[in-house]
Amino acid sequence: MRHPNDNGFNERRKTAIEAKKQLLAKFAAAPKPTDPEMQAQLAAREATAKAREERRAEREALKKAENERQMAEAAEAAAAAEANERAEAEARQAEVNDRVARVVADEAARKAERDRRYAARKARQG
């Protein structure tokens, strides 16, 4: 029993040949690289690529500048912290030196008072 949509070998072969012809015609009708329209498209692509590259370079320059600014800020902050720490250390050292000087002065005053009392006692006895 034959199906009404069953194509014979010759018909299938003819359809395949026709499809190949259509593909060849499609590629033959495609614009060539020397065609002004294709050259315009190529120029537009190149311009777009150049603009994209310029934007990328600009972004990288901005990132580099921002990174350098942050590094400078960090260096300034570190220098300020170091100066502050040095000032605090000097203040602590000055306080210690002042305390030592007061202790030495108090000790000298006590010794002078003791010597005065001793001399007064010797003067009364002698």
Side-chain angles (χ1 to χ4, degrees):
M1 187 163 150
R2 289 184 55 123
H3 296 288
N5 291 338
D6 190 15
N7 296 335
F9 175 72
N10 285 333
E11 192 173 333
R12 286 194 314 262
R13 191 168 151 228
K14 192 168 146 185
T15 304
I17 290 172
E18 187 63 32
K20 286 180 186 177
K21 283 182 185 178
Q22 287 177 356
L23 273 175
L24 286 175
K26 177 183 171 187
F27 283 112
K32 305 290 185 248
T34 57
D35 198 19
E37 183 180 317
M38 287 299 290
Q39 288 182 352
Q41 285 180 353
L42 180 61
R45 277 192 214 125
E46 288 175 358
T48 303
K50 185 176 180 182
R52 186 179 303 125
E53 182 63 27
E54 288 174 358
R55 287 191 307 266
R56 185 191 60 78
E58 184 178 335
R59 279 193 311 271
E60 286 181 3
L62 287 175
K63 283 181 185 178
K64 184 177 179 183
E66 178 65 18
N67 191 17
E68 288 175 357
R69 185 188 63 77
Q70 288 177 350
M71 293 294 283
E73 285 179 1
E76 288 177 10
E82 184 178 327
N84 190 19
E85 186 177 316
R86 193 177 316 115
E88 287 177 2
E90 288 175 0
R92 283 193 302 268
Q93 186 62 37
E95 185 179 324
V96 168
N97 290 343
D98 185 46
R99 192 175 302 147
V100 167
R102 281 191 312 230
V103 167
V104 168
D106 287 348
E107 192 64 34
R110 265 186 289 207
K111 185 175 185 295
E113 179 64 24
R114 188 182 67 217
D115 288 347
R116 185 191 62 73
R117 286 193 316 254
Y118 180 73
R121 190 172 63 225
K122 284 293 185 178
R124 282 191 307 255
Q125 285 177 359

